[in-house]
């Protein structure tokens, strides 16, 4: 490897490391101290966070914990503390004449009723509606308008089932995206990212099968198995390794983030 290649490699590595760093907002010591104090005491400024009192008894008896429906109805301690500390810190920065900064990979947002990110939730819901209507129209076209094979009563098009799966995975991904942007908690975050990865992996499989016109079942399995194994491993890694939002964005879209 020549000298120029080594220099390029070092610069590329440094570039990626810089992209994987945390956002400026959550590196702020004032913000970090605010979140830490809020999670410990349940107080931030003049505001009391009632959820934190329940979450301090994580190892206690089941009846001492917050019911599941309450956890869904109300935001949990960590999310609430981050939100209120972010808003307080941004107000301080505004009074100092400073520009807004990102927190955990996101720009400061203002909640609207139950929606933590109303615009993102609305756009995800529109995508969900579009994919659902598209899949429904495709289903009607294939099964009720086009001729079927007389022996099996199945469509002539060999990729019908694969496209149905793609449509259902798309609906699932945008559904959880809508829920995630409405309620950003650990469970909805994992479901959103896992659904997105599953959709991307399946889209890659489908594009390869369609591009190379693979119709034999054994060949389809050979194409799909390595990608399915990788996608499954990646989903397990995302669910059992503690990423934050900024790190996930860096992994999926490093060039875009930087």
């Amino acid at each position: 490897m020549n000298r120029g290649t080594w220099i390029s490699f070092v610069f590329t590595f440094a570039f990626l490391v810089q992209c994987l760093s945390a956002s400026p907002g959550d590196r702020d010591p004032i913000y970090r101290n605010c979140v830490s104090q809020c999670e410990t005491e349940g107080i931030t400024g003049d505001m009391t966070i009632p959820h934190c009192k329940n979450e301090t008894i994580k190892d206690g008896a089941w009846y001492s914990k917050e019911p599941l429906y309450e956890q869904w109805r109300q935001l949990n301690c960590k999310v609430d503390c981050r939100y209120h500390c972010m808003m307080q810190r941004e107000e301080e920065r505004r009074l100092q004449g400073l520009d807004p900064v990102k927190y955990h990979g996101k720009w400061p947002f203002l909640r609207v009723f139950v929606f933590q990110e109303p615009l993102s939730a609305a756009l995800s819901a529109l995508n969900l509606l579009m994919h659902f209507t598209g899949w429904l129209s495709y289903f009607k076209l294939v099964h009720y308008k086009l001729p079927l094979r007389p022996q099996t009563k199945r469509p002539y098009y060999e990729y019908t089932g694969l496209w149905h799966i793609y449509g259902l995975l798309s609906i699932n991904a945008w559904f959880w995206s809508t829920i995630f942007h409405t309620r950003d908690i650990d469970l909805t975050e994992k479901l959103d990212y896992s659904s997105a990865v599953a959709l991307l992996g399946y889209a890659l499989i489908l594009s390869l099968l369609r591009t190379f016109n693979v119709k034999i079942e054994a060949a389809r399995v050979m194409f799909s198995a390595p990608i399915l194994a990788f996608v499954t491993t990646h989903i397990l890694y995302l669910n059992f390794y503690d990423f934050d939002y900024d790190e996930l964005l860096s992994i999926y879209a490093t060039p875009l983030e930087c």
Side-chain angles (χ1 to χ4, degrees), residues 48-63:
T48 301
I49 311 297
H51 325 309
C52 296
K53 298 178 181 178
N54 290 317
E55 293 198 357
T56 55
I57 324 177
K58 291 183 179 179
D59 298 326
W62 62 270
Y63 52 80

Side-chain angles (χ1 to χ4, degrees), residues 37-160:
Q37 180 182 4
C38 176
E39 291 181 348
T40 304
E41 303 176 4
I43 299 174
T44 170
D46 299 330
M47 187 172 299
T48 301
I49 311 297
H51 325 309
C52 296
K53 298 178 181 178
N54 290 317
E55 293 198 357
T56 55
I57 324 177
K58 291 183 179 179
D59 298 326
W62 62 270
Y63 52 80
S64 63
K65 299 180 181 179
E66 193 175 32
L68 290 177
Y69 68 89
E70 288 289 339
Q71 294 178 20
W72 178 255
R73 186 178 63 84
Q74 299 175 336
L75 299 174
N76 61 22
C77 173
K78 183 178 181 180
V79 174
D80 239 0
C81 287
R82 283 184 174 183
Y83 174 76
H84 291 295
C85 288
M86 175 186 69
M87 299 307 293
Q88 291 178 15
R89 184 61 184 134
E90 281 303 303
E91 179 62 20
E92 294 172 358
R93 292 178 58 86
R94 186 185 67 82
L95 295 176
Q96 296 172 5
L98 301 175
D99 294 330
V101 294
K102 285 185 177 182
Y103 294 82
H104 306 283
K106 302 179 183 180
W107 291 106
F109 54 87
L110 185 65
R111 292 177 183 170
V112 178
F113 299 107
V114 298
F115 298 96
Q116 287 184 248
E117 302 171 34
L119 180 59
S120 298
L123 293 176
S124 295
L126 287 175
N127 272 296
L128 171 62
L129 179 62
M130 180 193 70
H131 280 83
F132 177 75
T133 54
W135 171 78
L136 190 61
S137 63
Y138 176 75
F139 182 86
K140 291 179 179 179
L141 173 67
V142 170
H143 292 279
Y144 294 100
K145 296 182 180 180
L146 296 181
L148 303 176
R149 297 176 186 268
Q151 298 86 359
T152 60
K153 300 299 181 181
R154 299 180 63 181
Y156 283 96
Y157 185 50
E158 294 87 351
Y159 298 92
T160 301

